């Protein structure tokens, strides 16, 4: 889908702050509110804007103990479907948050969340590594998150957003 300059501006603004009010968004892109609403709706219906989400610092939520792991997966691609079929089998597991096709030593990068390291280990040994196409896995546990999606964590009261100059 070819996007107009105004549509690109909208998605860049909403990607940085999905809670930007429509009237503020309209002023930022210098269009009437009604036209801005129509463009946002068009982008949503075309699945250019897929979802609005919140970035949460779970360490600050008492009672939420969890572990995130990044798993490098080496697979044998299948004739006719390549990596897509095994990637789909992997992303259907509820523990899986992201799956990426990668260049380099491993084929897929899988991000999962579990309640504990034991949960992650069980997922890898009982679900992931038992898939037919999976040759090997390497699991990396995230120990501390410093920056995610342009947001810096643990800066106290300072503004956490990274502003990129045009």
């Amino acid at each position: 889908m070819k996007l107009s300059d105004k549509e690109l501006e909208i998605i860049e603004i909403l990607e940085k702050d999905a809670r930007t009010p429509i009237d503020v968004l309209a002023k930022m892109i210098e269009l009437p509110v009604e036209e801005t609403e129509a463009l946002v709706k068009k982008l949503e219906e075309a699945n250019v804007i897929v979802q609005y989400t919140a970035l949460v610092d779970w360490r600050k939520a008492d009672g939420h103990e969890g572990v995130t792991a990044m798993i490098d997966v080496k697979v044998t691609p299948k004739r006719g479907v390549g990596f897509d079929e095994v990637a789909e089998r992997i992303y259907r597991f509820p523990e899986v948050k992201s799956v990426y096709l990668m260049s380099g030593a491993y084929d897929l990068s899988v991000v999962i969340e579990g309640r504990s390291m034991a949960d992650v280990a069980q997922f890898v040994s009982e679900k992931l590594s038992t898939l037919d196409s999976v040759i090997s896995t390497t699991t990396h546990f995230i120990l501390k998150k410093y920056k995610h999606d342009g947001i810096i964590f643990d800066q106290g009261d300072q503004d956490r957003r990274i502003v990129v100059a045009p």
Side-chain angles (χ1 to χ4, degrees):
M1 171 178 189
K2 178 77 173 146
L3 299 178
S4 70
D5 290 341
K6 294 296 182 185
E7 290 168 332
L8 286 171
E9 282 184 73
I10 288 171
I11 59 177
E12 287 171 359
I13 292 166
L14 291 177
E15 185 177 40
K16 288 182 180 112
D17 185 359
R19 294 183 63 184
T20 304
I22 197 72
D23 60 323
V24 173
L25 182 61
K27 286 178 187 170
M28 292 171 80
I29 65 169
E30 299 175 340
L31 284 178
V33 171
E34 297 78 20
E35 192 174 339
T36 303
E37 284 176 323
L39 288 174
V40 170
K41 183 175 172 132
K42 175 185 168 190
L43 292 166
E44 291 169 345
E45 289 173 353
N47 272 338
V48 173
I49 297 175
V50 179
Q51 183 175 344
Y52 298 94
T53 61
L55 180 59
V56 178
D57 188 347
W58 285 107
R59 293 170 305 151
K60 295 181 179 174
D62 290 339
H64 179 79
E65 302 301 321
V67 175
T68 302
M70 300 177 86
I71 306 167
D72 298 327
V73 184
K74 198 175 277 193
V75 300
T76 303
K78 292 199 175 185
R79 187 178 305 272
V81 293
F83 296 101
D84 294 346
E85 184 179 287
V86 69
E88 182 177 348
R89 289 183 70 192
I90 293 169
Y91 70 61
R92 293 203 179 278
F93 290 115
E95 300 91 338
V96 174
K97 300 302 171 196
S98 305
V99 178
Y100 303 97
L101 179 61
M102 306 297 289
S103 63
Y106 289 88
D107 303 306
L108 299 173
S109 180
V110 179
V111 178
I112 74 161
E113 291 179 0
R115 290 182 309 246
S116 66
M117 286 187 176
D119 278 354
V120 172
Q122 184 176 10
F123 171 82
V124 173
S125 65
E126 294 179 10
K127 294 180 180 179
L128 186 60
S129 64
T130 60
L131 295 175
D132 291 339
S133 298
V134 172
I135 298 169
S136 67
T137 64
T138 302
T139 303
H140 310 274
F141 289 97
I142 295 178
L143 303 176
K144 183 176 181 180
K145 189 182 295 190
Y146 293 99
K147 183 176 179 180
H148 184 86
D149 286 344
I151 307 297
I152 297 172
F153 284 68
D154 282 338
Q155 280 199 345
D157 293 334
Q158 297 177 19
D159 186 15
R160 294 185 172 151
R161 295 190 187 144
I162 302 302
V163 180
V164 180

